Amino acid sequence: MQRNYYTVRNNKIYLTFSCPVFDHIGEANPEAYAIKHKESSVRIAKDIAMYNGVIEDYSLSSIDNPNGYTPKNIISTGELYVYFIFDSSDMKYKTPMQSPTEDEN
């Protein structure tokens, strides 16, 4: 599953960012990301922090259709995978050279 972020400029909708939420459902070790939206005092949009995650109550035996699977919850491991900030000059999310040192909360 992907999550898309959009913005509106001049009455048109633009895709500004797309990121994975989970993948490899039906396999022993699926990928999952806990996505947090962080307030920014200097940017017009919230920052996006993607943490490695674990799918709550994930069980291979209970998955009938991997393409229709929706996790109950994704729990953050607290390990930052990647951090994105909004660049208003081109209205897109980008990764900074160094991630902020603030905690997950």
Side-chain angles (χ1 to χ4, degrees), residues 34-47:
I35 300 169
K36 307 290 182 186
H37 302 100
K38 309 274 190 164
E39 290 290 337
S40 171
S41 60
V42 295
R43 288 179 282 284
I44 63 172
K46 291 182 179 181
D47 296 345

Side-chain angles (χ1 to χ4, degrees), residues 19-56:
C19 64
V21 179
F22 59 87
D23 199 2
H24 303 289
I25 300 302
E27 296 179 15
N29 297 306
E31 292 177 16
Y33 302 97
I35 300 169
K36 307 290 182 186
H37 302 100
K38 309 274 190 164
E39 290 290 337
S40 171
S41 60
V42 295
R43 288 179 282 284
I44 63 172
K46 291 182 179 181
D47 296 345
I48 300 172
M50 290 178 60
Y51 293 89
N52 288 318
V54 176
I55 298 174
E56 183 178 347

Side-chain angles (χ1 to χ4, degrees), residues 46-89:
K46 291 182 179 181
D47 296 345
I48 300 172
M50 290 178 60
Y51 293 89
N52 288 318
V54 176
I55 298 174
E56 183 178 347
D57 297 333
Y58 182 77
S59 169
L60 283 175
S61 61
S62 66
I63 299 172
D64 295 328
N65 177 6
N67 294 323
Y69 179 80
T70 302
K72 176 180 175 182
N73 189 25
I74 296 176
I75 302 166
S76 174
T77 65
E79 180 185 351
L80 183 65
Y81 176 70
V82 67
Y83 197 92
F84 296 93
I85 60 171
F86 190 75
D87 183 348
S88 58
S89 65

